[in-house]
Amino acid sequence: MPSGAPAGRRTRVVRTAGGLSLRLDLRAVLSGALLLAVAVAATVALIGSGDYPMTPSEVLTTLTGGGTTGQEFIVHELRLPRVLVGLLVGAAFGIAGAAFQAVSRNPLGSPDMLGLSQGASVGALVVLVWFHGEPRTVAAGAVVGGVITGLALFLLAWKRGVHGYRFVLVGIGTAAMLYAVVLYLLTKSTLYDAARATLWMTGSLSGRDWSQVGPLAAVCAVLVPVALLCARPLRMLEMGDDAAAALGVRTERVRITVLLVAVVLVAAGTAAAGPISFVALTAPQLARRLTRAPGPNLLPAALMGAALLVGADWAAQRLFGADQLPVGVLTGVLGGGYLLWLLVAERKAGRV
């Protein structure tokens, strides 16, 4: 085992012909492969579910261009866009949640708790209630609201840098105020707009098409690699600012970059599927417990978020008979239970 590796962990060093070396944690690699397999299995199961059921072999055949005309229409036009949105939103929320928790050094530091989801909801409701906007303009309003909320959090929490404890407190206060704004906007809306707003705020993948896939995929293609490049500096920041700075990490630049990336990922994911609750909170924690690796675990958190959201969407469609639930209802119930367990565990550990 290489020097510096945690005791009891199996690692392997991979060296390239160019002289570069990479240390791989075998448990983390196997955990990532398992999460990827779960996400793929949930994807195939979800595509095969519905009023026109398909077997896994039929789904795979159709995805590779060998299905009938009817199967190709059902898969490529009706079901595949929904699944892709679920995978991308889950991955975006997972990475964003891991980034917020790493910067704030708090397992409760997630977009759900810090006001970003509420800010995106306010932006969407302003467009929907005041301008009776269509889905695309509502999504644009959500992006603008989420980004403005993120910038406001930076400004309110900034004092010679962004520090975790202050950032969390400012975020909790901001979330409470923005939720009050959401309630006010609902009271000023018509019955039709209030119903649309309620469905959107619940979070759902129903009716998603290729118009949501393209912009979200572009955002993830640009920002996810940026976030992954910051994984090593984030891990060093866990040792403290002084130690990280001594190792050459520009602490504030890393924090600001990571938080900006996380804010845009949350805003884009919320615009595509609504503020689906608790995925950003639970995915990083479950990924860390699975890999048992130090650091933010950004890639495992992304895979966990994708698997959780697609799996929850499948369960919301199949486990309640004819009453199909919006996926946000199921993630809210499961995530709320997880939050209670986390609070009890943190209290026993003396951290809250």
Side-chain angles (χ1 to χ4, degrees):
M1 181 175 65
S3 60
R9 298 194 64 87
R10 297 181 60 188
T11 61
R12 183 182 299 274
V13 176
V14 178
R15 292 182 173 86
T16 66
L20 298 177
S21 63
L22 177 66
R23 191 180 71 190
L24 297 179
D25 187 312
L26 296 183
R27 182 185 177 94
V29 171
L30 292 176
S31 299
L34 174 63
L35 290 173
L36 181 59
V38 171
V40 171
T43 296
V44 173
L46 185 55
I47 292 176
S49 301
D51 294 333
Y52 182 86
M54 300 173 63
T55 64
S57 62
E58 290 175 333
V59 171
L60 295 175
T61 300
T62 304
L63 288 174
T64 55
T68 65
T69 302
Q71 289 174 336
E72 288 182 356
F73 174 77
I74 290 172
V75 170
H76 293 291
E77 299 300 326
L78 300 181
R79 296 179 182 174
L80 184 58
R82 174 179 183 148
V83 174
L84 290 178
V85 170
L87 290 172
L88 292 171
V89 170
F93 283 0
I95 284 184
F100 277 112
Q101 291 173 16
V103 171
S104 65
R105 300 181 189 175
N106 191 320
L108 299 179
S110 77
D112 302 314
M113 312 298 292
L114 301 180
L116 290 175
S117 298
Q118 292 83 351
S121 297
V122 169
L125 288 183
V126 166
V127 174
L128 197 155
V129 173
W130 288 353
F131 303 102
H132 308 286
E134 297 300 320
R136 290 186 180 182
T137 54
V138 171
V143 172
V144 173
V147 172
I148 290 176
T149 301
L151 294 176
L153 287 176
F154 289 142
L155 295 176
L156 293 173
W158 183 274
K159 185 178 180 182
R160 293 189 297 274
V162 177
H163 299 284
Y165 183 72
R166 184 166 58 248
F167 190 75
V168 171
L169 289 180
V170 170
I172 292 174
T174 302
M177 291 188 293
L178 290 174
Y179 184 68
V181 176
V182 168
L183 296 180
Y184 170 77
L185 290 171
L186 287 176
T187 63
K188 294 299 181 181
S189 63
T190 64
L191 183 61
Y192 174 72
D193 287 338
R196 290 178 62 197
T198 301
L199 178 61
W200 186 87
M201 289 190 302
T202 301
S204 174
L205 297 176
S206 179
R208 297 305 180 263
D209 55 31
W210 290 105
S211 64
Q212 283 96 18
V213 175
L216 182 57
V219 171
C220 290
V222 173
L223 295 184
V224 169
V226 175
L228 295 179
L229 288 174
C230 294
R232 181 178 174 84
L234 276 178
R235 182 175 177 179
M236 294 180 181
L237 283 176
E238 292 185 347
M239 299 184 295
D241 285 5
D242 293 338
L247 293 172
V249 177
R250 298 183 178 182
T251 57
E252 289 308 318
R253 177 179 294 184
V254 170
R255 283 197 185 95
I256 293 174
T257 300
V258 169
L259 290 177
L260 285 175
V261 167
V263 165
V264 177
L265 285 174
V266 170
T270 303
I276 298 176
S277 58
F278 289 112
V279 174
L281 174 68
T282 58
Q285 293 295 312
L286 294 177
R288 182 186 286 261
R289 283 170 169 76
L290 182 63
T291 63
R292 297 182 185 175
N297 287 276
L298 295 180
L299 185 57
L303 295 172
M304 179 66 78
L308 279 178
L309 189 50
V310 174
D313 193 37
W314 177 88
Q317 289 189 56
R318 305 300 298 171
L319 300 185
F320 299 94
D323 299 324
Q324 295 186 6
L325 298 178
V327 66
V329 174
L330 188 58
T331 60
V333 171
L334 298 177
Y338 177 80
L339 178 60
L340 291 176
W341 175 85
L342 181 62
L343 289 172
V344 171
E346 291 293 303
R347 184 174 181 272
K348 288 183 178 179
R351 290 190 285 266
V352 296

